[in-house]
């Protein structure tokens, strides 16, 4: 995901294409997107354009790094208890809680399916409706767990509430920063 590009998002099909996952380009696949995932990606695009305008032209998750994209996702474990690949475990657990079958969860995570019958499954045919509904079920479990916090807790309202992107961008633009002069002029121009 760190190397995802804006052109990998297909809003019409509601998918995010992964051209070179673990295992190489022969394992390329499309991730079906729930409504909440689409809204999050829209926020990512907007924030990226404000925070790293040059890098955001090429990368979905731009950063001030040698590659121009998010390269390391480590946070203090007291702040964020899970990192990058650890979140796959959380996703799988939530898929079970959402009633998603093991088979569908493996397809969503692009895991190989053992057995002779797996070769008969046409994954891309399932993405459009079936797997998207499974993805939506997982997102529903995640957002249901937030309950009233989505409308009562300031940080969640700022990220997930109505017009959250506009408010956050406005705050970012008006907030004095510790950026260098060149980066500050780019931020203001954006």
């Amino acid at each position: 995901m760190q190397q995802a590009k804006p052109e990998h998002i297909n809003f019409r099909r509601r998918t995010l294409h992964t051209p070179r996952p673990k295992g190489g380009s022969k394992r390329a696949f499309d991730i079906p997107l729930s409504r909440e995932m689409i809204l999050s990606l829209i926020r990512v695009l907007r924030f990226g354009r404000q925070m790293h305008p040059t890098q955001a032209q090429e990368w979905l998750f731009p950063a001030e790094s040698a590659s121009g994209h998010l390269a390391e996702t480590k946070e203090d474990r007291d702040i964020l208890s899970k990192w990058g690949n650890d979140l796959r475990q959380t996703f799988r657990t939530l898929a079970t809680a959402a009633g998603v079958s093991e088979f569908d969860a493996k397809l969503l995570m692009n895991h190989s399916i053992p057995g002779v019958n797996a070769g008969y499954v046409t994954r891309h045919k399932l993405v459009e409706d079936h797997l998207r509904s499974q993805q939506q079920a997982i997102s529903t479990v995640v957002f249901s767990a937030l309950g009233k916090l989505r409308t009562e807790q300031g940080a969640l309202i700022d990220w997930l509430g109505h017009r959250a992107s506009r408010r956050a961008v406005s705050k970012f633009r008006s907030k004095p920063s510790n950026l260098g002069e060149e980066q500050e002029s780019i931020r203001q121009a954006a």
Side-chain angles (χ1 to χ4, degrees):
M1 288 293 98
Q2 294 172 341
Q3 296 180 21
K5 297 183 176 193
E7 66 260 21
H8 294 157
I9 302 170
N10 185 328
F11 287 108
R12 173 170 274 179
R13 286 188 59 228
R14 293 176 47 199
T15 59
L16 176 63
H17 184 65
T18 307
R20 287 184 301 280
K22 181 178 173 183
S25 58
K26 68 180 189 303
R27 302 253 321 144
F29 71 110
D30 291 336
I31 300 169
L33 302 172
S34 67
R35 287 182 298 277
E36 293 84 359
M37 293 168 87
I38 289 170
L39 292 172
S40 291
L41 286 173
I42 290 169
R43 286 186 287 271
V44 163
L45 288 166
R46 287 179 178 163
F47 294 153
R49 289 177 186 147
Q50 294 300 313
M51 296 172 69
H52 307 289
T54 304
Q55 295 89 338
Q57 291 175 22
E58 184 175 359
W59 303 106
L60 183 56
F61 300 103
E64 290 292 331
S65 66
S67 62
H69 61 77
L70 189 64
E72 190 170 3
T73 55
K74 291 183 180 177
E75 290 283 340
D76 181 350
R77 287 283 183 169
D78 292 334
I79 296 171
L80 183 63
S81 63
K82 299 281 185 183
W83 294 343
N85 283 336
D86 293 343
L87 294 174
R88 291 176 64 83
Q89 296 169 5
T90 302
F91 179 86
R92 183 61 185 95
T93 301
L94 291 169
T96 300
V100 173
S101 73
E102 182 176 349
F103 183 82
D104 289 342
K106 284 184 175 189
L107 287 172
L108 287 169
M109 297 176 74
N110 202 36
H111 288 174
S112 61
I113 309 297
V116 71
N117 289 331
Y120 296 112
V121 173
T122 308
R123 186 185 190 289
H124 73 273
K125 295 284 187 188
L126 294 175
V127 168
E128 299 302 323
D129 294 315
H130 178 71
L131 288 179
R132 182 172 297 105
S133 70
Q134 300 303 298
Q135 189 79 279
Q136 185 62 55
I138 296 167
S139 290
T140 299
V141 166
V142 170
F143 281 80
S144 294
L146 294 172
K148 291 184 178 183
L149 292 175
R150 284 180 68 186
T151 57
E152 295 174 356
Q153 189 176 30
L156 287 175
I157 293 168
D158 286 348
W159 180 248
L160 301 172
H162 185 65
R163 297 183 178 240
S165 296
R166 290 183 181 163
R167 281 194 310 276
V169 167
S170 294
K171 285 181 187 178
F172 179 77
R173 284 184 172 177
S174 64
K175 184 178 179 180
S177 90
N178 296 329
L179 300 174
E181 284 182 40
E182 181 180 341
Q183 288 177 323
E184 180 63 23
S185 65
I186 291 171
R187 184 187 69 81
Q188 289 176 355

